[in-house]
């Protein structure tokens, strides 16, 4: 195995823990809403607290991230993430969980940006989409193994168990980071290590191309994350899934994207990132509308729809991420990617709150003891609206020379 592949594997493992930590909250939604006796709006706060904290820390990190060796900063951020996740495992109440989720999110948000910066610095642009596709396959692994295993632990023990597992796993990954991730300080050479915050703002936010990258990220998240948080509660309360059957959504969808994600990366490198994003950006609209209008159907039919959604949604994320990494020069990539993560997380939080505001609940007629969601179809229309706008904004992005 080459050093490059080992590096990608370690980074994918770190990103896996962050993604599973974030994703596990959503399928736990029906259980948490029942145990804590909270409304959809209160549950959306649990989801958005993570993203808003990540957005705030990402903004602050943008001013310092490029002043440090990538490895040193990764160790610091990942250690904080592990501590925050372990704290979630021992949260006794809704309010404490809200706080500990914010702590985990504050470090987790920076973690995602930092990993993408390391991949972008280590791999040339002509092979970068494949590298990002490999690392982003951690989303799929989190879906195939992480979420079902986490739900199994929650069913076997309690909702605290998945976070205890994740915290322990993160400690193990920290050891691999120490041993296998090389020091990366090329971006510190010359004058780039002495940039003050005003210079960073000027270089990152003072140009049209990076600004369009941030706008593109925000709109894309509004078109993606409005639907995501309430898929699990909707499938239970409206379609007729049991809480145990929710694992099949992530098992099937994640299993499909394990294969599709690297393929999409190679396709984007060969045929163009904008073309690939456009294809998947249009196709994803179909399962979005079907999911948000789905009535009680057999399990296998619902899994076909959600599986297609996973493939198409992931298919637009790989090329879009690669496109955004190329709008800035390497010496400012860490700062830009941190700002981009901040915008991404805050937009995701806004999307979750917007979806929560559009949804009300009523006793379910298909699943005993569950709540049916009313207004989810309107969430689908909002997602489609922003997804279409993202297709047009994507055409305004231009790659920087040497990026």
């Amino acid at each position: 195995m080459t050093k490059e592949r080992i590096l990608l594997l370690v980074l994918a493992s770190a990103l896996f823990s962050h993604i599973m930590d974030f994703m596990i909250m959503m399928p736990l939604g029906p259980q948490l809403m029942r145990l804590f006796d909270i409304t959809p709006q209160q549950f959306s706060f649990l989801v958005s607290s993570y993203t808003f904290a990540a957005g705030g820390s990402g903004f602050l990190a943008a001013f310092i991230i490029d002043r440090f060796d990538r490895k040193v900063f990764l160790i610091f951020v990942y250690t904080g993430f592990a501590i925050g996740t372990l704290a979630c495992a021992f949260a006794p109440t809704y309010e404490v969980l809200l706080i500990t989720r914010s702590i985990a999110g504050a470090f987790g948000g920076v973690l995602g940006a930092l990993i993408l910066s390391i991949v972008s610095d280590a791999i040339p642009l002509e092979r970068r989409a494949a590298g990002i596709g490999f690392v982003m396959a951690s989303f799929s692994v989190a879906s195939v193994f992480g979420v079902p295993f986490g739900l199994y632990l929650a069913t076997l023990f309690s909702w605290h168990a998945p976070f205890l597992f994740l915290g322990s796993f993160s400690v193990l990954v920290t050891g691999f980071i120490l041993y296998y991730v090389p020091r990366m300080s090329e971006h510190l050479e010359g004058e780039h290590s002495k940039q003050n915050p005003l210079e960073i703002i000027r270089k990152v936010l003072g140009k049209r191309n990076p600004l369009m990258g941030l706008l593109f990220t925000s709109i894309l998240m509004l078109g993606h994350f409005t639907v995501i948080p309430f898929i699990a509660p909707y499938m239970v309360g409206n379609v007729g899934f049991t809480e145990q059957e929710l694992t099949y959504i992530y098992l099937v969808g994640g299993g499909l994207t394990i294969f599709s994600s690297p393929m999409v990366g190679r396709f984007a490198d060969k045929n163009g990132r904008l073309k690939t994003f456009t294809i998947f950006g249009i196709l994803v609209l179909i399962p979005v509308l079907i999911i948000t209008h789905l009535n009680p159907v057999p399990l296998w039919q619902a899994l076909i729809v959600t599986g297609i959604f996973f493939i198409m949604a992931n298919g637009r994320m790989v090329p879009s991420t690669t496109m955004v990494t190329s709008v800035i020069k390497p010496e400012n990539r860490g700062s830009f990617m941190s700002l981009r993560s901040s915008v991404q997380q805050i937009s995701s939080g806004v999307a979750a709150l917007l979806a929560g505001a559009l949804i009300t609940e009523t006793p379910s007629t298909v699943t005993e003891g569950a709540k049916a969601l009313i207004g989810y179809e309107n969430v689908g229309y909002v997602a489609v609206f922003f997804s279409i706008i993202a297709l047009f904004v994507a055409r305004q992005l231009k790659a920087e020379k040497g990026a």
Side-chain angles (χ1 to χ4, degrees):
M1 185 178 291
T2 64
K3 290 184 178 180
E4 183 177 289
R5 184 54 62 93
I6 292 174
L7 172 64
L8 291 175
L9 187 60
V10 173
L11 294 176
S13 298
L15 191 58
F16 159 82
S17 59
H18 161 51
I19 298 304
M20 180 179 168
D21 180 62
F22 176 63
M23 287 182 64
I24 193 63
M25 181 58 64
M26 287 169 280
L28 286 176
Q31 188 176 149
L32 292 172
M33 290 168 68
R34 184 183 71 253
L35 293 175
F36 287 135
D37 192 24
I38 56 177
T39 66
Q41 288 73 29
Q42 287 174 304
F43 174 66
S44 71
F45 292 151
L46 272 180
V47 176
S48 59
S49 65
Y50 191 101
T51 58
F52 284 136
S57 65
F59 179 78
L60 295 176
F63 300 106
I64 60 173
I65 192 172
D66 284 324
R67 295 188 177 191
F68 296 92
D69 183 292
R70 302 281 194 224
K71 178 178 182 177
V72 173
F73 206 75
L74 177 60
I75 292 170
F76 167 74
V77 169
Y78 197 68
T79 300
F81 166 77
I83 294 172
T85 301
L86 284 172
C88 291
F90 298 101
T93 65
Y94 168 78
E95 290 76 16
V96 174
L97 182 59
L98 201 62
I99 294 171
T100 55
R101 291 302 291 163
S102 299
I103 295 173
F107 288 98
V110 179
L111 180 64
L114 185 56
I115 288 173
L116 289 176
S117 295
I118 292 174
V119 174
S120 300
D121 285 355
I123 300 179
L125 183 59
E126 61 268 18
R127 291 187 288 110
R128 191 176 300 159
I132 288 177
F134 182 89
V135 171
M136 290 185 68
S138 57
F139 283 81
S140 307
V141 178
S143 299
V144 171
F145 168 74
V147 172
F149 182 64
L151 285 174
Y152 171 74
L153 291 176
T155 303
L156 189 63
F157 300 104
S158 73
W159 67 264
H160 302 271
F163 298 105
L164 184 60
F165 162 76
L166 272 173
S168 303
F169 177 79
S170 299
V171 172
L172 179 64
V173 173
T174 302
F176 286 103
I177 292 174
L178 287 167
Y179 190 79
Y180 287 110
V181 175
R183 296 184 68 88
M184 302 184 71
S185 57
E186 291 82 0
H187 61 287
L188 298 175
E189 296 176 0
E191 62 180 11
H192 304 310
S193 62
K194 302 177 181 179
Q195 297 179 93
N196 61 46
L198 291 179
E199 288 176 323
I200 293 173
I201 291 175
R202 179 176 60 82
K203 290 183 178 180
V204 176
L205 300 182
K207 297 181 180 179
R208 181 179 184 275
N209 211 26
L211 285 175
M212 292 304 299
L214 296 178
L215 177 63
F216 174 62
T217 296
S218 178
I219 293 174
L220 188 58
M221 283 301 100
L222 289 171
H224 178 73
F225 210 74
T226 42
V227 172
I228 295 292
F230 290 96
I231 287 180
Y234 186 81
M235 289 296 167
V236 171
N238 295 67
V239 181
F241 279 46
T242 65
E243 291 182 6
Q244 289 73 27
E245 287 172 340
L246 288 176
T247 60
Y248 297 134
I249 295 177
Y250 300 92
L251 188 64
V252 172
L256 292 171
T257 53
I258 280 180
F259 298 101
S260 68
S261 184
M263 292 173 61
V264 170
R266 291 192 293 270
F267 183 85
D269 283 333
K270 182 178 180 180
N271 298 283
R273 292 168 287 277
L274 178 60
K275 179 180 179 180
T276 305
F277 171 76
T278 301
I279 292 172
F280 284 95
I282 293 174
L283 291 177
V284 76
L285 303 180
I286 299 172
V288 165
L289 288 174
I290 295 176
I291 285 175
T292 54
H293 289 75
L294 201 61
N295 292 317
V297 295
L299 177 65
W300 65 271
Q301 292 183 17
L303 292 178
I304 289 176
V305 177
T306 56
I308 294 173
F309 171 74
F310 267 70
I311 293 174
M312 299 307 169
N314 183 263
R316 67 174 174 178
M317 286 303 172
V318 172
S320 65
T321 301
T322 309
M323 290 162 61
V324 172
T325 66
S326 66
V327 303
I328 197 77
K329 293 182 178 180
E331 58 266 24
N332 295 116
R333 183 175 287 132
S335 296
F336 172 75
M337 292 303 289
S338 190
L339 282 174
R340 183 247 183 190
S341 177
S342 175
V343 169
Q344 183 181 45
Q345 299 291 350
I346 290 175
S347 298
S348 297
V350 171
L353 291 179
L354 176 60
L358 292 173
I359 292 172
T360 56
E361 60 182 7
T362 188
S364 174
T365 59
V366 294
T367 304
E368 186 177 354
K371 298 287 187 180
L373 303 184
I374 300 174
Y376 196 44
E377 68 279 2
N378 296 325
V379 174
Y381 297 139
V382 170
V384 167
F385 173 75
F386 283 109
S387 295
I388 292 173
I389 294 178
L391 292 171
F392 292 97
V393 177
R395 281 153 176 73
Q396 306 302 314
L397 303 182
K398 307 295 180 184
E400 286 280 351
K401 292 182 179 180

